[in-house]
Amino acid sequence: MKITVLSGAGISAESGLKTFRDSNGLWEGHDVMELASPQGWRANPALVLDFYNQRRRQLLEVSPNAAHEALAGLETRHEVDIITQNVDDLHERGGSSKVMHLHGELLKVRCSKFHDDIKLWKKDVNLGDLSKNGHQLRPHIVWFGEDVPLIPKAVEIVSRCEALIIVGTSMQVYPAAGLLNYAPVDLPIFFVDPKPAIASGGRIQVIAETATKGIPTVVDLLN
């Protein structure tokens, strides 16, 4: 069976990663646009680099959880594609082999001018760290106001899957939320959320649990 997983911050939170964005729209006391937009980068690149350096250091201290590992286990019997809004590598470290990061990857950097100049990077990024073209390196993160280049590929994956799992995300952040519009009409959907805003009905089965409890349940149902 072709299974697609749409994942968000909630699955990583159980590994100890902060979700950063508070209910008031602030990240670590800063307006989100200061830390995650081209305008913020131009205004204060040192602040932006420091923010992502802290995130990167924290990521290297945490490990995948039971939800990541259960999704990886699905690959023994199914064809599994994970489309994640997360910028961490916990799906990969948990054992999943096909992971698409819609919003970029924290353990990569890219040239601030030539965006296809990307490299792996696990240490801090500092002002003065330059790409091979002589331009400042920046986080390989899709910021607000920037294109999400992998959306067409994600649409293709969702349109041909046979079951869909949504975990750790309310699917209210666009363009990712629009992916549901491309799912086959008779597709079974499993929605894992400890505080679901929707109820089971029709093709949607809601599992009102955290990711580490709910995903193993879904895996059992699919196997």
Side-chain angles (χ1 to χ4, degrees), residues 19-221:
T19 54
F20 311 132
R21 197 171 183 184
D22 301 322
S23 57
N24 58 9
L26 297 180
W27 278 2
E28 303 287 292
H30 294 279
D31 184 284
V32 65
M33 298 306 283
E34 291 182 79
L35 301 170
S37 73
Q39 299 93 319
W41 171 248
R42 288 193 293 269
N44 195 341
L47 176 69
V48 174
L49 289 178
D50 179 63
F51 176 78
Y52 288 100
N53 286 342
Q54 292 181 51
R55 308 284 76 77
R56 193 179 302 105
R57 285 183 223 132
Q58 187 193 22
L59 172 57
L60 294 173
E61 294 174 353
V62 302
S63 301
N65 60 49
H68 297 108
E69 292 163 356
L71 289 173
L74 268 177
E75 291 190 15
T76 60
R77 300 183 65 174
H78 304 282
E79 180 182 335
V80 182
D81 285 280
I82 294 178
I83 301 171
T84 185
Q85 295 166 276
N86 299 336
V87 296
D88 60 67
D89 66 337
L90 295 178
H91 280 299
E92 289 92 337
R93 278 196 267 157
S96 291
S97 63
K98 296 171 68 179
V99 184
M100 174 185 293
H101 292 269
L102 289 179
H103 296 162
E105 297 179 63
L106 198 49
L107 298 184
K108 292 181 180 179
V109 293
R110 71 179 190 233
C111 176
S112 54
K113 184 172 182 179
F114 299 100
H115 291 181
D116 57 350
D117 181 4
I118 301 164
K119 62 172 68 177
L120 294 171
W121 196 276
K122 290 189 175 183
K123 57 187 180 180
D124 285 0
V125 186
N126 300 302
L127 288 178
D129 288 337
L130 305 179
S131 70
K132 63 185 179 184
N133 295 298
H135 301 281
Q136 174 65 44
L137 291 173
R138 56 159 276 184
H140 180 49
I141 303 292
V142 177
W143 288 330
F144 291 98
E146 295 184 323
D147 290 336
V148 184
L150 291 176
I151 281 291
K153 179 63 175 175
V155 166
E156 178 188 334
I157 291 170
V158 171
S159 67
R160 60 180 176 81
C161 73
E162 297 168 285
L164 185 65
I165 302 171
I166 301 173
V167 56
T169 172
S170 63
M171 288 305 290
Q172 293 179 347
V173 176
Y174 285 83
L179 292 174
L180 287 176
N181 297 329
Y182 298 93
V185 293
D186 56 348
L187 183 82
I189 299 174
F190 301 90
F191 185 71
V192 180
D193 192 314
K195 297 179 180 178
I198 59 174
S200 293
R203 62 179 180 159
I204 299 177
Q205 183 168 343
V206 174
I207 291 95
E209 298 280 2
T210 60
T212 53
K213 292 182 179 179
I215 289 298
T217 299
V218 175
V219 169
D220 287 343
L221 290 170

